[in-house]
Amino acid sequence: MWRWLKIFLTIGFGPAVGAAQTPSRADLDFFESKVRPLVVKRCHECHSTQAKKQRGGLSLDNRAAILAGGDTGPAVVPGHPEKSLLIQAVRQSNSKLQMPRNGKLTPKEINLLEDWVRRGAPYPGPEVKVSHKNGIDWKNARKFWSFQPPAVQKLPGVKHKAWPQNRIDHFLLAQMEKRDLAPTRPADRRVLIRRATFDLIGLPPTPDEVDAFLKDRRPDAYALLVDRLLASQQYGERWARFWLDLARYCDIGEPWAEYKGQPWLYRDWVVRAFQNDLPFDQFVQKQLAADLMPNAQPRDRAALGFIGLSPQYWKELLLDKDVIKGVVAEEWEERIYTVGSTFLGLTIACARCHDHKFDPISTQDYYALAGVFASSRPADVSLLSEVETRAVKDAQAKIQDLQGRIKKASKTKESAKIAAWNAEIEKIKAATPAFARALTPGVIESSLFVKADGPNRTKLEYKPGTARDVSLQIRGNPATPGPVVPRRFLTVLSPDGKPKPFTQGSGRLELARAIVTEGAPLSARVIVNRVWQQHFGAGLVATPSDFGTQGARPSHPELLDDLTGRFLQNRWSIKWLHREIMLSAAYQQASDYDAKKQAVDPDNHLLWRMNRRRLDVEAWRDAMLAVAGNLDLKQGGPPVELNDPKNNRRTLYGKVKRRELPDLLRLFDFPDPTTHSATRVPTATPLQQLFTLNSPFLQQQASALVKRLKAEVTNQDARIRRAHELLFGRMATDQEFRLAREFLGNPPSEQAWLQYAHVLLGSNEFAFVD
C-alpha cells in the first residue's frame, strides 16, 4: 500500500538547488556596506596598490589578489574562516601573524570579516569607472541606460506575423528569430486558467470556473477572465504580499520598538491600494509622506508603515554617545538602503563611507538623504481626523490619570473607589466613539540628537517639528564628522546635475515626489520589471533591486522601455500592466520542453516557452485550504498564529515575527523580514519533504478533503475524478484511475482515503503551475 504513496511523495518539490556559483546581491551589498569600509580604514595603509610600501606582498584591492595572498600564502579560504590566514591575523591568535599593526580590531569588526569569509568572500568584479581625478563624471554617468527617460519604441519586424497578440510579442519574437527559435504552442485552456488564477489571486480556480471557461467560446473569453480576476476581492491580497517582501513587513517587531500601534493596518492599506489600482506614483508617495500630502485622507497614514516598521536597533544609554551615534547611523543606512533598493533599484547605502565604487552616487548624496531620515522619527500615528484624534487623546489622558489612582488605591484596598473609577473609565470610552480605533506605526516630523549625559552615558533628545541636516561622516564614522550636507535628492537624477535643497520639513514629501518625477526613469522601470518577474519567474532585468552598473543589463531593452513608456502613459496603473503582460501570446504559451531550443537558450531568457514555477508558500497553503473546503475568505484585521489548527484564513494574515518565523514559512523560502527581499530563492530540502509527510496541517486538510469528497459525490470513481478536478483542474487519466483503485482497495478504508488525499496534496502537480 505504501509503495505507491512513497512514489508520489518522492517527487517532492523539484531538483535540489546547489551552491551558488556567483555571489548574491545581498552578499555583494554586505561587502560594500560593511566589509569594504573596514578594509579601507584598517588594512589598505599596508595592503593595497596605493600603499607607500606594500607589506608582506599582500594586496587587498581585489578578490584575485586576496585569494593569491602574500608571502605567507592565500589570505582567505572562501567559506572557511578557521582556515583563513586573514582571520587568524585579525584574531591575533598566532604570535607570528598579527594584524593590523596599529591596534587589534574590535570583536564586532572581526565578526564582520568572519561572516564575509563564511559567505564565500564575495567581492565585486572590476570596477566600472564613473569617476575621474576630480570626482564623479556626472555628465557621462547620466548616459547610463537606466537613467535615460523611457520611451515608446518602434516595433521591430518579425517573420512569424500571425503569432504576436500585442506589442510585447513583437519584441520577444524578434529576439527569438535572431537565434532561429520559434515560440511554443499555446497552453491548454485548463492550464491557462489555473496559471492566470494563481498569478492574480493566489488561489486555484474552482471546477465550475474551469468548466465555464472551457465552454466560453467568445473570442475575448480569456481577456474577460483576466478582467474578472483583476476585479476579484482576492487580487489585492495576492499582490500585497509581493510588496510586503520588499517592505520587510512584520507583525511583531523588536520588543524595544518605539511604536505600539497595529502593524496590520499597513498590510491592509497595501491590500486596498492594489485592489483599488492606486496609481503607483501615488502609492510611492503615500508610503513615504502620507502625513504631509495635501489631499491624503487620514486613513492613508497607515501607508507610513513602510518607514514606521523599519527595524529599530537597541540603544543602550549606559554607553558613550559615539557608540549610540553609530547605532543611529546604522538605522539611517537601513532606511536609505530599503528606499533606494525598493523604489529606485539603486544600492545607495554603499556610499555611506566613500563615493559608490561603481554607481554615480557620492557620499554627499548619501548624507543628503540621511538628513531626511534624521529629521523623521518612527512613531504611532492616528488614522482619525484632527477633531477625533484630539478627543481620543483627551480621553486617554483622563483614563491614564484614573488608572494611576486605581493603582495607588489597590495598595490600600479601597475597593469602592476602585469600582467607581473603573466605571468612569468605561463611561469615557463609551463617550468617545473613535477610542477603540487602533493607532498604526508610522513616522512623524521630529529630529533626533544624541548627546552626552555624563561619563559613558548618553541621552536621546527629540525635537518635534524640527528638521536637520547632518554632517558627512568620514569613512562612515560618526565620531569623525565632516561638512554638513543639505537634504536633497540624488545628483545623477536631478536636472542638470544640480539637486535643489529640500525645504519642506524633513523633506520626505519632496523625496517621494522626486522618486516619481526626476527618478521616474528608474522607479517606473523597476516596478514594471518587478511585475514582469512575478508573471514569468524572472525579470527582464535579472537583478530587480539593482539597476546600477553592477546589476544585470536588460535581456530585452527595447521591450522594457516600450512597456515602461506605455505604463507611464497609462497613469502608472498596475492593473493595466497585468493585463498587457497576460494578454501577450508569450504569457499564454505552454511550458513544453524542447531539447533543441533548450540547447540554444538553456535558461529561457528569450521566452520561447512559459516557465514552470513552484507556488510560493502562501499560495500553496491557501490552495490546500481552498480545495479542502476550509478556506476562510474574511479580509483584513489582526494577524493569527499560523500554527493555530483553527486558523483557516489566508496565509497573508498569519502572524509574522521579525526574528522568529513559523516553521511553515521558514521551511518554504519565506523572505527574511529584517531586510528588503527582491526575490525569493527556491530551495528543495529534506525538511520540506518531512513537513509534507508529517505535518498536522497537511493531515488536517487531507481529512477535510476526504469529507468534502464524500459529501459531494457518492461513488469511488466519482470521488477520484472530483479530487483531480479540485486539485489539478483536470480529469484523472486512465492510469491514475487504475493506481487509485489499486491503492484504495475494495471496499476502500477510511485510512486509505486519508492517505490518498494526503498524497495528492503533497504532489508536485499541486505545488507547481505550468
Side-chain angles (χ1 to χ4, degrees):
M1 177 180 293
W2 278 97
R3 177 182 62 81
W4 186 66
L5 181 63
K6 290 177 181 177
I7 291 173
F8 262 80
L9 287 174
T10 54
I11 59 181
F13 287 88
V17 178
Q21 299 300 308
T22 56
S24 69
R25 184 70 256 170
D27 287 339
L28 293 176
D29 289 346
F30 173 78
F31 175 81
E32 287 293 347
S33 63
K34 307 295 183 186
V35 179
R36 189 193 289 275
L38 173 60
V39 172
V40 170
K41 177 182 177 183
R42 300 302 303 272
C43 308
H44 272 192
E45 182 180 357
C46 300
H47 300 291
S48 76
T49 55
Q50 304 301 316
K52 294 181 180 179
K53 181 180 179 181
Q54 193 176 96
R55 298 184 181 274
L58 175 62
S59 170
L60 300 178
D61 282 329
N62 57 71
R63 193 170 191 270
I66 293 170
L67 297 182
D71 299 341
T72 53
V76 163
V77 180
H80 301 282
E82 299 295 332
K83 299 178 182 179
S84 299
L85 293 178
L86 175 65
I87 302 304
Q88 295 174 25
V90 298
R91 287 175 179 169
Q92 299 192 0
S93 56
N94 184 334
S95 60
K96 298 181 180 179
L97 192 65
Q98 296 190 355
M99 292 191 295
R101 304 180 68 183
N102 58 350
K104 188 176 181 180
L105 299 182
T106 66
K108 181 179 179 181
E109 290 172 330
I110 294 171
N111 288 338
L112 282 174
L113 290 175
E114 290 173 345
D115 192 10
W116 173 60
V117 174
R118 199 173 292 114
R119 291 170 180 245
Y123 199 120
E127 294 186 14
V128 178
K129 298 295 183 182
V130 297
S131 304
H132 51 51
K133 63 181 180 179
N134 296 320
I136 296 174
D137 183 350
W138 297 108
K139 182 177 181 180
N140 284 329
R142 280 192 289 275
K143 295 178 181 177
F144 189 66
W145 74 268
S146 63
F147 303 147
Q148 301 302 304
V152 177
Q153 303 289 303
K154 180 181 177 181
L155 288 182
V158 294
K159 299 174 184 175
H160 186 11
K161 298 184 185 298
W163 185 72
Q165 293 192 23
N166 65 13
R167 292 180 63 88
I168 288 173
D169 297 324
H170 286 270
F171 293 101
L172 293 175
L173 183 58
Q175 291 298 316
M176 286 186 232
E177 291 180 343
K178 286 181 181 178
R179 301 287 297 277
D180 293 326
L181 291 174
T184 302
R185 66 177 178 86
D188 178 87
R189 286 170 71 88
R190 290 181 184 273
V191 168
L192 196 55
I193 185 175
R194 190 169 189 269
R195 178 189 300 168
T197 307
F198 269 116
D199 269 11
L200 288 181
I201 68 172
L203 294 170
T206 66
D208 287 345
E209 289 169 341
V210 173
D211 188 55
F213 181 59
L214 294 178
K215 292 177 179 176
D216 189 346
R217 307 318 299 177
R218 290 175 292 178
D220 60 347
Y222 173 63
L224 293 172
L225 166 68
V226 171
D227 288 341
R228 174 177 67 78
L229 293 170
L230 287 172
S232 166
Q233 289 300 306
Q234 283 71 55
Y235 160 77
E237 294 173 314
R238 169 64 175 168
W239 280 84
R241 184 59 256 179
F242 139 77
W243 186 259
L244 297 180
D245 285 9
L246 304 173
R248 53 2 185 184
Y249 172 81
C250 69
D251 297 292
I252 306 294
E254 298 78 13
W256 54 83
E258 296 179 29
Y259 63 82
K260 302 301 178 186
Q262 303 296 337
W264 56 265
L265 291 166
Y266 171 69
R267 175 246 289 154
D268 286 357
W269 181 87
V270 176
V271 171
R272 288 195 304 272
F274 276 102
Q275 191 68 49
N276 297 332
D277 199 20
L278 179 67
F280 186 73
D281 56 340
Q282 293 292 308
F283 182 72
V284 172
Q285 293 179 66
K286 288 183 178 181
Q287 289 181 85
L288 296 179
D291 56 325
L292 305 175
M293 296 175 68
N295 298 321
Q297 300 298 313
R299 74 172 190 170
D300 284 331
R301 295 176 198 143
L304 297 171
F306 184 87
I307 299 298
L309 290 172
S310 301
Q312 296 184 27
Y313 306 143
W314 174 246
K315 303 172 186 70
E316 176 51 72
L317 300 183
L318 296 179
L319 295 175
D320 184 78
K321 65 179 176 60
D322 285 339
V323 176
I324 305 307
K325 283 182 177 179
V327 176
V328 171
E330 292 286 330
E331 290 183 333
W332 296 346
E333 180 183 334
E334 192 282 333
R335 286 156 202 169
I336 291 171
Y337 167 77
T338 302
V339 168
S341 299
T342 302
F343 298 121
L344 294 170
L346 289 177
T347 55
I348 301 172
C350 293
R352 174 182 171 183
C353 305
H354 47 72
D355 287 352
H356 200 298
K357 290 291 182 179
F358 308 106
D359 293 335
I361 303 169
S362 67
T363 310
Q364 286 79 8
D365 284 333
Y366 176 88
Y367 286 97
L369 296 182
V372 174
F373 296 104
S375 304
S376 307
R377 179 186 179 186
D380 289 331
V381 296
S382 171
L383 305 187
L384 310 175
S385 68
E386 290 186 15
V387 173
E388 289 174 313
T389 300
R390 197 176 304 116
V392 168
K393 285 185 176 180
D394 290 344
Q396 288 173 332
K398 292 176 184 177
I399 289 172
Q400 188 174 4
D401 177 63
L402 290 169
Q403 288 173 336
R405 296 184 197 179
I406 291 170
K407 186 175 181 180
K408 291 179 181 179
S410 63
K411 296 178 181 179
T412 56
K413 299 182 180 179
E414 299 177 70
S415 56
K417 289 184 177 179
I418 292 173
W421 287 332
N422 277 323
E424 191 172 346
I425 287 174
E426 294 305 315
K427 287 181 181 178
I428 292 171
K429 290 181 178 180
T432 313
F435 186 85
R437 298 190 205 174
L439 297 172
T440 185
V443 62
I444 60 174
E445 298 283 88
S446 180
S447 294
L448 169 62
F449 294 84
V450 180
K451 297 189 174 182
D453 191 29
N456 295 320
R457 293 177 66 90
T458 301
K459 65 179 179 180
L460 305 178
E461 184 176 301
Y462 292 98
K463 294 186 178 181
T466 300
R468 61 176 295 208
D469 294 325
V470 300
S471 298
L472 184 148
Q473 298 172 359
I474 307 300
R475 293 184 176 176
N477 185 354
T480 56
V484 173
V485 183
R487 304 184 310 285
R488 57 170 176 76
F489 194 44
L490 299 177
T491 304
V492 73
L493 295 176
S494 299
D496 301 320
K498 297 177 181 179
K500 295 179 180 179
F502 293 158
T503 59
Q504 301 173 23
S506 65
R508 281 186 289 117
L509 180 56
E510 292 160 289
L511 171 60
R513 286 172 173 166
I515 286 172
V516 294
T517 52
E518 290 102 313
L522 277 168
S523 56
R525 281 190 179 98
V526 167
I527 188 60
V528 166
N529 187 64
R530 292 196 196 282
V531 173
W532 183 280
Q533 175 190 354
Q534 294 299 309
H535 284 301
F536 285 99
L540 294 168
V541 176
T543 51
S545 287
D546 189 354
F547 275 48
T549 59
Q550 286 291 288
R553 299 300 186 268
S555 58
H556 298 77
E558 293 83 7
L559 169 56
L560 179 59
D561 261 25
D562 187 78
L563 194 55
T564 304
R566 293 187 295 123
F567 172 65
L568 293 173
Q569 289 178 351
N570 283 273
R571 301 182 180 181
W572 301 75
S573 167
I574 299 294
K575 286 192 176 182
W576 173 87
L577 185 57
H578 285 308
R579 200 172 192 278
E580 191 70 7
I581 291 172
M582 297 179 69
L583 294 184
S584 68
Y587 179 86
Q588 298 175 58
Q589 291 180 103
S591 59
D592 299 348
Y593 174 79
D594 185 298
K596 291 183 179 179
K597 294 178 182 177
Q598 189 82 4
V600 175
D601 181 24
D603 294 320
N604 194 30
H605 289 310
L606 300 179
L607 292 176
W608 49 268
R609 65 180 176 90
M610 189 59 175
N611 292 310
R612 179 177 290 120
R613 288 172 289 142
R614 194 174 90 187
L615 294 176
D616 56 41
V617 63
E618 295 93 335
W620 186 56
R621 177 182 176 275
D622 294 352
M624 280 190 270
L625 289 168
V627 300
N630 281 340
L631 184 60
D632 178 359
L633 289 176
K634 175 186 173 184
Q635 293 192 307
V640 185
E641 291 284 356
L642 279 176
N643 294 332
D644 183 349
K646 297 180 181 179
N647 179 9
N648 290 332
R649 299 193 65 194
R650 295 197 71 171
T651 313
L652 172 73
Y653 301 114
K655 187 176 291 184
V656 175
K657 298 179 182 179
R658 176 155 275 152
R659 302 185 186 278
E660 187 184 352
L661 290 175
D663 290 343
L664 175 69
L665 302 185
R666 180 173 51 81
L667 289 174
F668 290 94
D669 310 322
F670 190 82
D672 179 0
T674 65
T675 189
H676 162 94
S677 297
T679 305
R680 295 193 185 184
V681 180
T683 62
T685 70
L687 288 176
Q688 292 172 351
Q689 306 291 349
L690 290 171
F691 182 93
T692 304
L693 189 61
N694 300 311
S695 161
F697 174 75
L698 263 86
Q699 294 169 356
Q700 183 180 349
Q701 302 317 311
S703 177
L705 176 58
V706 171
K707 289 180 181 178
R708 177 178 183 177
L709 294 173
K710 289 184 176 180
E712 292 185 0
V713 285
T714 55
N715 64 68
Q716 179 169 292
D717 280 2
R719 289 171 186 162
I720 295 171
R721 183 180 300 108
R722 182 65 172 170
H724 281 74
E725 291 173 344
L726 285 169
L727 273 73
F728 311 131
R730 62 170 179 81
M731 300 290 290
T733 66
D734 291 343
Q735 183 182 24
E736 286 167 336
F737 266 117
R738 180 179 58 77
L739 289 171
R741 292 180 188 123
E742 177 186 331
F743 177 76
L744 292 168
N746 191 17
S749 67
E750 181 70 16
Q751 187 63 24
W753 265 108
L754 289 174
Q755 292 171 355
Y756 177 69
H758 195 154
V759 166
L760 296 184
L761 290 172
S763 67
N764 248 6
E765 185 172 356
F766 186 69
F768 279 75
V769 173
D770 270 333

